[in-house]
Amino acid sequence: MLKDKELSEIGRLFEKIIFKKDEYIFIEGDSSDWLYIVADGRVKVVKHTVMGKDIILEIMSPGDIFGGVAVLDKKPFPASAQAMEAATVVRLNRNNLFNIMDEYPALKLEIVKYFSSRLRDAHETLKNIATERVEKRIASLLVKLAEKVGVNDGRYRRIDFQLTRQEIAEMVGTTVETSIRTMSKFQKEGMVKSSGGKILINVESVNKFISE
């Protein structure tokens, strides 16, 4: 879509920043002056609720863009972004983003498509939290992660980063105790297993459970 020279020129507009594990990249309510892309590591987008609990809206992997909708709307960030591990991100300020979109209409269309897709995913996640029972919410999350960041490992797909029961609970809007109990049940039934601290998912079995 863009020539190498054009990509090189755009690349010079980005700034690289390294964050430590658990360090915040931005906080909910901060001014949305920058669009971010994960270059290395994992970043979670977290919504703080009035009840004092956190809900993980999304886990961002290398190549994923975050913070962009707020940048386009020129509104404060609606959620926080936090490094799940040592992470490298690149960022682009709003003025440069708008200039790029004006100069390359085709790229502008791709950006809009990308964020439309992310908004649909967020809507689906919120709908599941509101309507599905907890076990199916966790099962759906596991399949989503397996498809997005999973690595083939025999009959399983391995989530190739550490994912705690606390983080699973925060992603589906439940308690840690329920997350532990559900994952133990899935493990007994052969739907998931653990190896080296990583979660392995039998996608076929989990999808069958979801459809029941």
Side-chain angles (χ1 to χ4, degrees):
M1 182 171 61
L2 297 179
K3 297 178 181 179
D4 290 344
K5 181 180 179 181
E6 294 170 331
L7 290 171
S8 178
E9 290 174 353
I10 291 173
R12 286 196 289 268
L13 300 175
F14 285 86
E15 176 184 351
K16 183 172 74 172
I17 308 176
I18 298 174
F19 293 90
K20 298 176 182 178
K21 175 179 167 54
D22 295 329
E23 188 175 359
Y24 280 95
I25 297 162
F26 56 77
I27 303 290
E28 180 177 343
D30 283 353
S31 177
S32 57
D33 299 321
W34 299 87
L35 173 145
Y36 295 85
I37 304 175
V38 181
D40 186 55
R42 311 284 172 181
V43 172
K44 60 182 178 182
V45 178
V46 182
K47 182 70 176 178
H48 306 294
T49 70
V50 294
M51 301 297 291
K53 293 183 178 181
D54 288 342
I55 297 177
I56 298 177
L57 301 179
E58 189 71 76
I59 291 179
M60 316 305 289
S61 301
D64 284 339
I65 302 170
F66 61 104
V69 174
V71 173
L72 294 176
D73 284 344
K74 299 183 180 179
K75 294 181 179 179
F77 287 120
S80 303
Q82 184 180 20
M84 297 179 68
E85 57 195 28
T88 302
V89 304
V90 293
R91 67 180 189 177
L92 178 70
N93 71 48
R94 179 187 287 112
N95 289 337
N96 284 333
L97 172 63
F98 285 177
N99 289 337
I100 291 170
M101 292 171 67
D102 288 339
E103 188 170 353
Y104 304 104
L107 182 58
K108 179 178 182 179
L109 178 60
E110 292 303 315
I111 291 172
V112 171
K113 286 181 179 178
Y114 180 87
F115 288 128
S116 294
S117 175
R118 300 308 288 262
L119 286 172
R120 283 195 297 272
D121 288 346
H123 180 267
E124 187 66 24
T125 298
L126 292 174
K127 186 182 76 172
N128 286 340
I129 289 176
T131 61
E132 293 287 357
R133 59 190 177 91
V134 172
E135 288 185 351
K136 288 202 172 183
R137 298 206 303 264
I138 292 177
S140 295
L141 169 66
L142 295 176
V143 169
K144 178 181 176 181
L145 291 174
E147 292 174 345
K148 181 181 178 182
V149 298
V151 178
N152 285 331
D153 192 328
R155 294 188 303 110
Y156 291 79
R157 293 275 289 177
R158 184 178 71 252
I159 304 302
D160 216 17
F161 60 90
Q162 300 286 342
L163 185 67
T164 68
R165 301 302 189 258
Q166 172 75 46
E167 289 165 338
I168 291 173
E170 290 175 355
M171 292 190 76
V172 301
T174 189
T175 64
V176 180
E177 292 77 15
T178 299
S179 173
I180 293 171
R181 185 168 60 250
T182 300
M183 290 297 290
S184 294
K185 175 185 175 181
F186 288 173
Q187 191 157 350
K188 288 178 182 178
E189 296 179 358
M191 295 162 60
V192 304
K193 65 180 182 178
S194 297
S195 177
K198 309 288 179 65
I199 299 173
L200 290 86
I201 302 161
N202 186 320
V203 176
E204 182 179 354
S205 296
V206 177
N207 271 328
K208 183 178 180 181
F209 172 80
I210 293 171
S211 64
E212 291 176 349

